Amino acid sequence: MSLFEKRIAELEEELPHLEPADLVDWRQAGRSFLLVDVRQPEEAAEGSIDGAVNIPRPKLEASIEAHLKDPEQPVVVYCGYRGRSQLVADSLRAMGMDARVLRGGYSAWRDTQT
């Protein structure tokens, strides 16, 4: 296992996650949260979750606050499958934000919508 894969596996154990069905529940309950697609714009153009803001990983930490309605607002991040979203959520949590990872990313979300 590479060092990258080892770190991602550790973060998957440590970080709070949201299942795709939980995201549906949050929306239906009217819960306030920021949904962030951390993929590159060309990836997001191929499909994204309605209501998500696309902030690619390299720019996220510097620009996330401009998208928050409230500093206490939960942030749900997703990528294509796994990896980038774990790294972003870890970074946002280190900044003091309530960040969570959408388990399985866009791939899992897309699979639940068919």
Side-chain angles (χ1 to χ4, degrees):
M1 177 182 292
S2 72
L3 293 175
F4 174 76
E5 284 295 324
K6 182 179 177 187
R7 181 63 183 144
I8 297 304
E10 290 170 355
L11 290 173
E12 285 179 330
E13 293 295 319
E14 296 169 10
L15 294 170
H17 285 75
L18 218 58
E19 298 294 333
D22 297 329
L23 183 61
V24 171
D25 292 343
W26 279 26
R27 285 181 160 179
Q28 289 176 346
R31 185 160 180 184
S32 176
F33 64 95
L34 177 63
L35 181 61
V36 181
D37 181 344
V38 302
R39 298 175 297 161
Q40 293 299 316
E42 58 273 12
E43 293 173 283
E46 294 176 9
S48 64
I49 301 172
D50 287 343
V53 59
N54 178 234
I55 311 173
R57 182 171 185 258
K59 299 177 181 179
L60 194 114
E61 290 86 352
S63 61
I64 189 74
E65 290 178 272
H67 297 277
L68 288 172
K69 294 177 184 173
D70 173 344
E72 304 297 317
Q73 181 182 30
V75 178
V76 178
V77 297
Y78 72 92
C79 59
Y81 173 64
R82 64 186 282 270
R84 288 174 284 186
S85 55
Q86 282 80 5
L87 295 169
V88 166
D90 185 49
S91 179
L92 294 178
R93 291 183 74 79
M95 292 171 61
M97 295 183 190
D98 177 7
R100 301 150 192 252
V101 175
L102 180 63
R103 191 178 305 276
Y106 181 70
S107 296
W109 174 261
R110 185 187 60 231
D111 291 348
T112 65
Q113 302 304 300
T114 57

